[in-house]
């Protein structure tokens, strides 16, 4: 703030202090409204918990960049000519524990089940479509709810198109993620001109010695995610617990969960095509028919993917790297330059593809379980005519009259 870096100071306070404080406040508000029982309280509880689930990880963007800065400073050590020392201290461990625990604990809050108007209309329509069997058996579903339409993506390119498009997006995503992890993301350089008078302490006569020792080259360092993880793991083996925690944050939460989430999204897309028989609309490409004897289950891969999406922190790390390098720009007037490298752009492109893949797959993967009503058909053995296809079932006049009366009461 005092060195004209007001925007950087505001952003650091926003991410490091305001977001964590809002997490605690929203968790308290959620617990207050959780047991009120009214629909308004349920909406408030659901809103604050969803906010915490999606935003709690954003308390830690600068935390990732600090680990990269520690690596850059420690690798500048050239004893006895240049001596540097840096390490992650207990504050880093406490902040990491807070961010991770807050994010994970928020995922454990059960959200209230609130029926949307579309769900209510669907239930009413399903009631009209039920016909009681003559011997008092379970209800039989006779027709498809008219207001449940396949997503636009399925109607446009079909389930095979979705699977192929997901594959076409996953391949460059994984390639960019791997390449971005191996490409430098942050660099440390010095500009020797501010070292000499009248700006710096050295006289002009010292320039020859500085050039001979190649000090600018010795004070140059780049870091990639792969190199940082490997080096931090080595420091952790030497007994540095905070370096072990930094290794886990980069290897697991930034790279590992992001890559695993991409794999799960790909499996979710192909599950639409490869699951068996009636569990996937009887193999229909246009999703116009299904077998009512088996209700498809929600996609298990997508269920896990939604959880991992809230824990994967590649987006947070990219923002943190840019944020810290932006704040470090205030030291350029004294010759210290900390800048982003091309690896940040590559990782940003990978995260864009990750989000596009998540949006595409999550919009269609659970459609089978949402479109097929939850009423299962139980057909008496002595009435095989009831086992006809849904659009070909026979209705008696008594049953038809009952359906008309129900419709009139609506």
């Amino acid at each position: 703030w005092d060195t004209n870096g007001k925007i950087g100071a505001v952003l650091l306070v926003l991410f490091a202090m305001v977001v964590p404080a809002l997490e605690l406040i929203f968790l308290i508000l959620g617990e207050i409204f959780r047991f009120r029982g009214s629909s308004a309280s349920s909406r408030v509880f659901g809103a604050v918990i969803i906010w915490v689930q999606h935003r709690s990880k954003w308390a830690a963007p600068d935390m990732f960049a600090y680990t990269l800065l520690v690596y850059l400073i420690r690798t500048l050590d050239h004893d006895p000519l240049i001596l540097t020392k840096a390490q992650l201290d207990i504050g880093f461990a406490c902040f990491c524990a807070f961010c991770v625990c807050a994010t994970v604990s928020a995922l454990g809050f059960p959200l209230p089940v609130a029926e949307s108007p579309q769900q209510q209309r669907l239930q009413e329509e399903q009631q009209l479509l039920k016909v009681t069997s003559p011997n008092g058996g379970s209800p039989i579903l006779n027709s498809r709810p008219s207001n449940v339409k396949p997503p636009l993506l399925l109607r446009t390119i079909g389930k095979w198109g979705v699977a192929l498009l997901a594959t076409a997006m996953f391949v460059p995503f994984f390639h960019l993620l791997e390449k971005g992890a191996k490409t430098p993301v942050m660099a440390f350089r010095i500009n020797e001109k501010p070292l000499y008078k009248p700006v710096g302490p050295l006289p002009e006569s010292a320039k020859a010695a500085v050039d001979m020792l190649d000090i600018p080259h010795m004070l140059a360092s780049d870091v990639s995610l792969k190199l940082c993880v490997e080096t931090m793991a080595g420091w952790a083996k030497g007994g540095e617990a905070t370096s072990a925690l930094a290794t886990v944050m980069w290897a697991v939460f930034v790279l590992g969960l992001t890559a695993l989430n991409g794999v799960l999204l790909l499996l979710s897309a192909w599950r639409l095509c490869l699951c068996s028989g009636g569990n996937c609309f009887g193999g229909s490409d246009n999703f116009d028919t299904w077998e009512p004897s088996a209700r498809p289950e929600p996609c298990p891969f997508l269920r896990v993917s939604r959880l991992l999406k809230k824990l994967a922190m590649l987006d947070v790390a990219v923002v943190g790297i840019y944020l810290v390098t932006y704040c470090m720009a205030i030291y350029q007037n004294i010759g210290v330059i900390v800048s982003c490298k091309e690896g940040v752009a590559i990782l940003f492109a990978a995260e864009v593809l990750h989000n596009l893949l998540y949006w595409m797959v999550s919009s269609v993967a659970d459609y089978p379980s949402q479109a097929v009503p939850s009423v299962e058909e139980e057909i008496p053995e002595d009435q095989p005519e009831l086992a006809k296809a849904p659009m070909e079932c026979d209705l008696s006049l008594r049953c038809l009259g009952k359906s008309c009366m129900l419709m009139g009461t609506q």
Side-chain angles (χ1 to χ4, degrees):
W1 186 273
D2 295 333
T3 54
N4 296 323
K6 294 182 174 57
I7 296 179
V10 170
L11 292 176
L12 285 176
V13 171
L14 174 65
F15 287 115
M17 300 177 65
V18 176
V19 173
L22 288 177
E23 290 179 26
L24 294 176
I25 293 174
F26 282 0
L27 286 175
I28 294 173
L29 288 176
E31 285 300 299
I32 292 176
F33 288 96
R34 180 180 181 182
F35 300 104
R36 292 296 180 91
S38 64
S39 59
S41 299
S42 298
R43 287 193 297 270
V44 173
F45 170 70
V48 297
I49 295 303
I50 289 176
W51 190 94
V52 173
Q53 288 180 351
H54 286 84
R55 301 292 180 267
S56 56
K57 67 178 182 179
W58 285 96
D62 50 338
M63 175 182 66
F64 292 102
Y66 293 153
T67 62
L68 301 179
L69 281 176
V70 168
Y71 172 89
L72 292 174
I73 298 300
R74 291 180 68 162
T75 54
L76 296 176
D77 186 74
H78 295 84
D79 190 22
L81 185 60
I82 299 175
L83 301 178
T84 62
K85 184 178 181 181
Q87 68 178 17
L88 299 170
D89 215 326
I90 187 64
F92 173 82
C94 293
F95 195 65
C96 284
F98 167 77
C99 294
V100 174
C101 292
T103 304
V104 174
S105 62
L107 298 178
F109 283 89
L111 295 177
V113 180
E115 293 185 355
S116 63
Q118 182 179 4
Q119 291 174 328
Q120 294 176 356
R121 291 194 303 269
L122 175 60
Q123 289 185 355
E124 293 175 358
E125 192 168 351
Q126 288 176 5
Q127 293 295 329
L128 293 176
L129 296 173
K130 293 178 184 179
V131 179
T132 305
S133 59
N135 63 348
S138 299
I140 301 172
L141 189 65
N142 291 303
S143 182
R144 176 181 185 159
S146 59
N147 62 339
V148 179
K149 295 182 179 180
L152 177 62
L153 196 62
L154 285 178
R155 299 199 304 267
T156 304
I157 62 177
K159 59 184 180 181
W160 285 101
V162 170
L164 294 175
L165 181 59
T167 304
M169 295 176 64
F170 173 80
V171 172
F173 154 73
F174 197 84
H175 174 71
L176 289 173
L177 182 63
E178 180 185 13
K179 185 178 180 180
K182 297 178 180 179
T183 306
V185 295
M186 187 181 288
F188 182 95
R189 301 287 188 273
I190 67 164
N191 179 12
E192 68 272 17
K193 293 182 180 179
L195 294 176
Y196 308 111
K197 292 182 178 180
V199 179
L202 298 179
E204 286 288 339
S205 58
K207 188 176 186 304
V210 171
D211 293 339
M212 182 180 64
L213 294 174
D214 199 12
I215 298 297
H217 178 73
M218 297 176 66
L219 292 178
S221 179
D222 295 342
V223 59
S224 65
L225 302 190
K226 179 177 179 293
L227 190 58
C228 179
V229 170
E230 293 174 349
T231 306
M232 289 283 180
W235 294 341
K237 292 180 180 178
E240 297 186 16
T242 51
S243 295
L245 184 57
T247 303
V248 172
M249 295 299 296
W250 278 110
V252 177
F253 287 92
V254 175
L255 297 176
L257 293 184
T258 303
L260 179 59
N261 194 33
V263 173
L264 291 174
L265 291 171
L266 182 63
L267 293 175
S268 301
W270 278 100
R271 181 178 178 271
L272 283 173
C273 305
L274 301 182
C275 54
S276 59
N279 288 334
C280 274
F281 303 97
S284 174
D285 289 334
N286 56 11
F287 294 89
D288 286 336
T289 60
W290 73 85
E291 296 291 338
S293 59
R295 172 179 172 82
E297 295 294 331
C299 181
F301 302 121
L302 185 60
R303 186 184 302 117
V304 179
S305 175
R306 288 195 176 104
L307 178 66
L308 295 185
K309 186 66 171 62
K310 300 171 184 176
L311 295 175
M313 298 186 180
L314 178 61
D315 48 356
V316 179
V318 170
V319 172
I321 294 172
Y322 178 79
L323 173 63
V324 170
T325 53
Y326 176 81
C327 295
M328 294 290 290
I330 61 176
Y331 299 109
Q332 290 184 5
N333 58 348
I334 61 174
V336 177
I337 303 172
V338 179
S339 60
C340 292
K341 299 290 285 184
E342 59 271 16
V344 176
I346 297 174
L347 292 173
F348 177 77
E351 182 60 18
V352 170
L353 282 176
H354 177 214
N355 281 276
L356 290 175
L357 180 61
Y358 178 81
W359 170 82
M360 182 189 72
V361 175
S362 61
S363 66
V364 300
D366 273 345
Y367 170 69
S369 62
Q370 296 170 355
V372 179
S374 59
V375 180
E376 294 185 355
E377 187 176 20
E378 183 177 321
I379 301 173
E381 295 180 357
D382 58 344
Q383 297 184 10
E385 67 275 5
L386 295 179
K388 295 183 178 182
M391 299 303 294
E392 298 176 358
C393 59
D394 295 328
L395 295 178
S396 65
L397 293 177
R398 179 172 58 85
C399 295
L400 183 60
K402 182 181 296 187
S403 298
C404 293
M405 292 177 61
L406 290 174
M407 191 176 300
T409 58
Q410 297 290 330

